[in-house]
Amino acid sequence: MEIDDKKLKELIKDSAKNISTINIMLKNNLISKNRLNNFITKGVLEGDCSLSEIKGYTFINKETIIKKVSQKLNYDYVDLDALDFNYKLAIRFPFQRLLKYTILPIEDGKNDVTVAFSDPLDVEAKDFIQRNINKKLTILVSSEEQINEYLKKLEIEKGMKDVILKIRRSLNSVEDQDGSAIMELIELIIKTSIDLRSSDIHIEPSENSCIIRNRIDGVLIRTFLFEKDIYAPLSSRMKLLANLDIAEKRLPQDGRFSYKINSSNYDFRVSTLPIVAGESIVIRILDSSKAKISLNDTGMVPDNYERFFRSLKSSYGIVLVTGPTGSGKTTTLYGALNEIKSVKDKIITVEDPVEYQVEMIQQVNVNKRAGLDFARTLKAILRQDPDKIMIGEIRDKETLRIAIEAALTGHLVLSTLHTNDAIGSITRMLDMGIEPYLLGGALVAIQAQRLVRKICVKCKKEEFIDIDSLNSKIKKLIPNDFTFYKGEGCNSCSFTGYTGREMVCEVLEVTDKMASLISANESKDLILKEAENYNFRSILEIGVQKALEGVTTIEEVLRVTKS
């Protein structure tokens, strides 16, 4: 039986005191989440509470309330990342005022000016905009976190104004023959990207502008927005740095360059791709510290670490690390190499390409143009008397067969495979045409992994989750007394709520019984049942555990496991 409006109003009015009471009522269906959202929306519209006040309501999703308020006011709620807005309009307004009201001018139309508001009921903010325009005001609504994120980028871009002016002057004169102005811009982009902990920089031309996006913790965010005329000198100079042909714009190209930032040397891998609006340029930032990573630092839970570490001590066999692109497989392999490298063993790797150089290890770069592919390199490596071999990726049947033969003739082979889970890797290799008895005899362990974003510790808070909205597979993993967390968004995490990433993984250690099942080509279900007898835990189970520990959010776990 639900409580009446009067009691509900009293509870919400003193929400800081009654937060646990409200959460218990939600869990026990004394009040539905939908009714609570509608009640607060009504309160905001009638002036009983403001959108800024509901920040402290941990029992609701603030974005849901803002969407409901926007809908009632007939304002569109938008994702700023989906808009190609004109940044020149925003810099015409006093920046501190935009920051104060959390608003972002988006478009200067023929008859109106479009502005994104975080609070569509903020009369003072509306008055400020109206005083600065002589047209009709069109209001869109977006999240406070997203608007703050773009205002932060705008502040950086305002600081780049002098550099952009230098570039424009150089385009119209012969003064800047050495391209120092555009190099200054490139250095600013690279420095900002490194400061933001980016793994990749994306330079993309659009119809109206040049967009710079950064991949941070596995997710792309828009960092800079320049006018279209900046793209041509920027892309040309970037191609020169990477020793690419600046005249070739019809074919993809790959290159590499090194650059010193903040007294530290960095390597960058550059890829270009012809697109309708020009060329998409992606720069991978190669962090040499990953070459020295320890398995202890990857975030593996203790029992999985013990299983994986034990497999690395095997004198022969195959140890596989699996997962989709960008799940940290290569980093795990480097961590494994650091665990096993020794002056007593000869370790050779074959990679495409070699990203980081590791001491005491012989590393070979695949060169397809010269006819040096994975399979041919592996054959040559076996004549070099190795003890342990690392293969960057198993891509075809021939490479897999040579790897298995090497494993069965006394070598420990480490490699990666693109599959979703550990047991699915067995099926995949059998489908590639490998005989079950060979596979059963060669496999030592299979690790499947993902990377989850970690909650920012500076803006971490409890989050209410409606457990009924989750599927049954996840529900059974959640205890009765549970608490989940999320990052609210702050300057430290660029208003994303996340800082850094951590591994979630499952490790399938191949026992003698399991090897027999694989050799007999038994079903996936039977192999899984045997694994569970040895306390095998799936990626989803480990992910939910990390969410309950407050390391990550349940949304992030569901995103990477696609559950």
Side-chain angles (χ1 to χ4, degrees):
M1 182 177 172
E2 292 200 347
I3 62 167
D4 59 31
D5 284 359
K6 185 180 178 183
K7 179 65 176 172
L8 185 55
K9 191 171 184 178
E10 288 173 7
L11 287 169
I12 292 170
K13 192 174 181 181
D14 199 359
S15 61
K17 181 182 174 183
N18 298 314
I19 180 172
S20 59
T21 305
I22 297 170
N23 278 325
I24 290 167
M25 291 173 71
L26 283 162
K27 285 180 185 178
N28 291 286
N29 296 317
L30 293 172
I31 178 173
S32 70
K33 192 174 182 183
N34 191 49
R35 184 187 167 207
L36 183 63
N37 286 337
N38 289 335
F39 191 85
I40 293 171
T41 300
K42 184 182 176 186
V44 169
L45 290 167
E46 292 178 355
D48 291 336
C49 59
S50 67
L51 285 173
S52 59
E53 284 176 328
I54 69 170
K55 269 186 184 180
Y57 296 0
T58 56
F59 43 81
I60 58 154
N61 184 314
K62 185 186 173 189
E63 191 174 2
T64 301
I65 302 298
I66 296 173
K67 284 180 179 178
K68 283 180 173 288
V69 170
S70 305
Q71 190 178 21
K72 294 284 185 185
L73 296 171
N74 292 320
Y75 295 143
D76 288 334
Y77 188 91
V78 296
D79 175 7
L80 293 180
D81 289 338
L83 302 178
D84 184 16
F85 63 86
N86 184 353
Y87 89 101
K88 285 195 296 183
L89 171 64
I91 61 175
R92 296 210 307 254
F93 292 83
F95 179 75
Q96 291 305 320
R97 289 296 188 92
L98 297 181
L99 208 57
K100 177 185 175 182
Y101 299 123
T102 321
I103 53 178
L104 183 68
I106 290 175
E107 187 180 356
D108 189 359
K110 187 176 179 182
N111 301 309
D112 66 341
V113 172
T114 303
V115 180
F117 282 70
S118 63
D119 184 350
L121 294 168
D122 191 337
V123 176
E124 198 179 330
K126 290 177 186 175
D127 288 344
F128 161 69
I129 291 290
Q130 285 291 184
R131 287 196 304 271
N132 285 274
I133 62 174
N134 54 6
K135 298 177 184 177
K136 177 189 169 188
L137 170 62
T138 297
I139 295 174
L140 297 178
V141 184
S142 189
S143 72
E144 181 182 356
E145 292 76 20
Q146 210 174 31
I147 291 176
N148 273 323
E149 187 183 319
Y150 276 90
L151 288 174
K152 188 177 180 182
K153 293 168 193 171
L154 187 66
E155 188 176 24
I156 296 169
E157 284 166 11
K158 283 172 75 70
M160 284 188 167
K161 205 171 179 181
D162 291 341
V163 180
I164 300 297
L165 286 172
K166 276 188 200 175
I167 294 168
R168 291 212 169 94
R169 279 199 296 268
S170 70
L171 292 174
N172 299 316
S173 69
V174 290
E175 292 175 17
D176 191 31
Q177 292 294 328
D178 61 350
S180 59
I182 200 70
M183 278 307 302
E184 198 175 334
L185 177 63
I186 289 171
E187 188 170 319
L188 276 168
I189 291 169
I190 291 173
K191 185 179 182 301
T192 302
S193 300
I194 289 169
D195 290 343
L196 289 171
R197 302 175 294 101
S198 305
S199 59
D200 301 87
I201 306 167
H202 292 240
I203 301 173
E204 301 162 333
S206 70
E207 188 180 345
N208 303 312
S209 55
C210 171
I211 301 162
I212 312 292
R213 297 197 290 170
N214 287 83
R215 191 172 294 281
I216 301 169
D217 297 332
V219 178
L220 279 172
I221 66 164
R222 192 154 69 184
T223 319
F224 301 108
L225 191 66
F226 303 123
E227 288 185 73
K228 187 68 179 280
D229 62 336
I230 298 299
Y231 170 75
L234 177 61
S235 61
S236 295
R237 191 69 188 185
M238 197 63 80
K239 287 167 81 173
L240 277 174
L241 273 176
N243 292 315
L244 303 179
D245 183 354
I246 62 169
E248 180 55 79
K249 297 178 182 179
R250 299 166 300 170
L251 296 172
Q253 296 187 73
D254 292 297
R256 200 172 179 133
F257 71 95
S258 298
Y259 205 76
K260 183 175 275 190
I261 297 286
N262 297 335
S263 303
S264 298
N265 288 313
Y266 289 87
D267 289 325
F268 302 89
R269 202 171 72 221
V270 181
S271 168
T272 71
L273 180 71
I275 59 173
V276 173
E279 286 179 287
S280 169
I281 300 174
V282 176
I283 304 151
R284 167 66 56 90
I285 301 171
L286 301 176
D287 183 359
S288 58
S289 65
K290 287 184 180 177
K292 300 172 186 174
I293 194 168
S294 164
L295 283 178
N296 266 324
D297 299 329
T298 59
M300 294 173 75
V301 296
D303 55 335
N304 278 344
Y305 174 80
E306 286 170 19
R307 290 179 185 195
F308 192 67
F309 186 76
R310 195 160 52 234
S311 71
L312 296 176
K313 295 299 178 184
S314 301
S315 54
Y316 67 92
I318 289 185
V319 177
L320 286 175
V321 178
T322 75
T325 302
S327 59
K329 298 188 298 296
T330 304
T331 302
T332 300
L333 282 185
Y334 276 109
L337 289 175
N338 286 325
E339 295 281 0
I340 63 175
K341 68 181 181 181
S342 162
V343 72
K344 297 176 183 178
D345 291 325
K346 175 142 187 168
I347 302 174
I348 306 179
T349 76
V350 49
E351 303 169 63
D352 182 21
V354 172
E355 291 191 357
Y356 312 109
Q357 293 185 23
V358 184
E359 290 180 8
M360 294 195 298
I361 292 174
Q362 316 305 310
Q363 294 169 274
V364 182
N365 236 333
V366 166
N367 188 339
K368 290 177 185 173
R369 287 183 183 176
L372 190 65
D373 58 12
F374 277 109
R376 188 171 181 181
T377 307
L378 265 175
K379 289 174 184 175
I381 284 173
L382 291 172
R383 294 192 288 272
Q384 287 281 308
D385 187 31
D387 296 289
K388 292 161 187 177
I389 301 165
M390 190 268 266
I391 307 167
E393 185 185 343
I394 291 175
R395 296 178 180 173
D396 53 51
K397 180 182 175 180
E398 187 183 4
T399 305
L400 177 58
R401 186 169 289 281
I402 297 168
I404 286 174
E405 287 171 2
L408 292 171
T409 53
H411 305 88
L412 181 66
V413 179
L414 309 179
S415 190
T416 70
L417 195 66
H418 282 279
T419 56
N420 290 326
D421 56 56
I423 293 174
S425 304
I426 297 168
T427 308
R428 171 79 189 279
M429 288 184 282
L430 292 172
D431 289 343
M432 288 170 78
I434 298 300
E435 294 83 353
Y437 69 90
L438 289 177
L439 193 59
L443 279 176
V444 174
I446 305 172
Q447 172 170 306
Q449 67 179 62
R450 305 286 189 279
L451 292 176
V452 291
R453 291 179 293 170
K454 295 194 291 184
I455 298 170
C456 172
V457 294
K458 293 190 176 177
C459 60
K460 181 178 176 180
K461 69 169 190 175
E462 286 187 18
E463 179 186 24
F464 172 76
I465 296 289
D466 183 6
I467 195 166
D468 291 330
S469 66
L470 303 174
N471 66 47
S472 56
K473 189 166 61 171
I474 298 161
K475 275 186 193 177
K476 68 180 182 182
L477 299 174
I478 300 173
N480 292 328
D481 184 20
F482 69 90
T483 305
F484 288 121
Y485 301 86
K486 73 170 185 176
E488 200 170 20
C490 63
N491 281 321
S492 296
C493 59
S494 300
F495 298 96
T496 62
Y498 298 97
T499 307
R501 288 192 290 176
E502 187 166 291
M503 180 202 295
V504 288
C505 69
E506 59 188 35
V507 178
L508 181 72
E509 197 172 14
V510 180
T511 62
D512 290 341
K513 176 73 182 293
M514 212 176 294
S516 299
L517 292 173
I518 295 167
S519 298
N521 202 11
E522 293 289 356
S523 70
K524 185 177 175 178
D525 290 339
L526 203 58
I527 295 169
L528 177 59
K529 191 175 179 181
E530 174 62 22
E532 286 171 346
N533 290 334
Y534 290 89
N535 300 317
F536 171 79
R537 292 195 292 160
S538 70
I539 291 176
L540 182 60
E541 288 178 73
I542 302 295
V544 170
Q545 177 190 325
K546 285 189 180 285
L548 290 166
E549 290 170 356
V551 174
T552 188
T553 62
I554 192 69
E555 290 88 357
E556 184 69 3
V557 173
L558 299 179
R559 180 182 73 84
V560 300
T561 60
K562 293 181 171 58
S563 297

